[in-house]
Amino acid sequence: RRQRQMCIRDRVNTAVLTSDTLEDPLRADAYVTIPLDEPDISLHKSVDRDTIPVGDTVTYTIEAAVAEEAGEVLNVTIGDASLPDAMHIDMASIRAWLGDHEITPVPADIQNNTFSIDFGDLRPKESIRITYRATAQDDELAGTQVTNIATLASESLDEPLTSEAVVNIVGEDLSLIHI
């Protein structure tokens, strides 16, 4: 697996003994495995409103950034696959930026009420921002909390990063959620 190759480096030390009295040289190899640190990349998810009534829309923002001192982060994919169908994502509203440059069209892989975007390799100091809207469409959401989780996966990471944003959904009478 390439992920394993990125997080561990194998080294070989070879000793060779030659002599006029030896027909063939003697050879011995010693192997050492050196774990490498994972790159320093952050993930943050936020929402513009923490409470909405059924029928309203929120805007989610996902941000990721590679630290200045970090190494390259390989094959980065950011996804959102946690919203219930009743909290419908407006797929046409998805926008993405690499640094200050907006990516158009957005290369989103859309499946039902989920999406993921492949960003390729990220260098130190590069950042990503994704925004999109979702609407609480069904009365079944009234009185609940909707937790939305973003995931960042990379060949350079042992485990994906996650970040969440929570929205409280109230009924039309604007009653608070039941916890």
Side-chain angles (χ1 to χ4, degrees):
R1 282 178 36 207
R2 186 169 180 177
Q3 177 180 355
R4 181 128 173 96
Q5 292 172 350
M6 293 308 304
C7 296
I8 294 180
R9 180 178 295 147
D10 294 322
R11 292 290 183 226
V12 178
N13 185 14
T14 303
V16 178
L17 174 65
T18 59
S19 168
D20 294 337
T21 60
L22 292 174
E23 195 173 301
D24 293 320
L26 298 176
R27 176 186 170 124
D29 293 329
Y31 297 88
V32 64
T33 300
I34 305 166
L36 300 177
D37 291 335
E38 288 189 346
D40 188 5
I41 185 168
S42 62
L43 178 68
H44 178 73
K45 182 162 197 167
S46 60
V47 64
D48 66 336
R49 298 165 51 199
D50 61 0
T51 302
I52 63 168
V54 172
D56 271 17
T57 299
V58 293
T59 299
Y60 288 101
T61 301
I62 303 169
E63 297 174 296
V66 181
E68 183 174 352
E69 310 80 33
E72 190 171 44
V73 184
L74 302 179
N75 196 23
V76 173
T77 300
I78 296 180
D80 188 315
S82 65
L83 282 176
D85 288 338
M87 187 79 174
H88 179 72
I89 297 174
D90 175 3
M91 297 301 176
S93 74
I94 299 172
R95 296 177 67 193
W97 293 263
L98 179 58
D100 292 331
H101 176 73
E102 186 169 4
I103 301 168
T104 56
V106 177
D109 179 15
I110 298 170
Q111 303 288 325
N112 300 317
N113 201 40
T114 71
F115 71 88
S116 64
I117 302 172
D118 294 329
F119 288 94
D121 301 343
L122 297 179
R123 296 185 306 262
K125 299 188 338 183
E126 285 191 317
S127 62
I128 295 169
R129 183 168 40 105
I130 301 168
T131 63
Y132 62 94
R133 293 186 304 271
T135 302
Q137 293 185 328
D138 198 314
D139 287 332
E140 75 183 47
L141 290 176
T144 67
Q145 286 186 322
V146 174
T147 301
N148 189 359
I149 302 169
T151 303
L152 183 149
S154 166
E155 292 178 9
S156 302
L157 299 173
D158 286 335
E159 298 290 329
L161 301 178
T162 60
S163 182
E164 67 182 44
V166 177
V167 176
N168 301 306
I169 312 295
V170 295
E172 289 183 24
D173 65 357
L174 300 182
S175 59
L176 293 177
I177 64 165
H178 308 287
I179 298 178

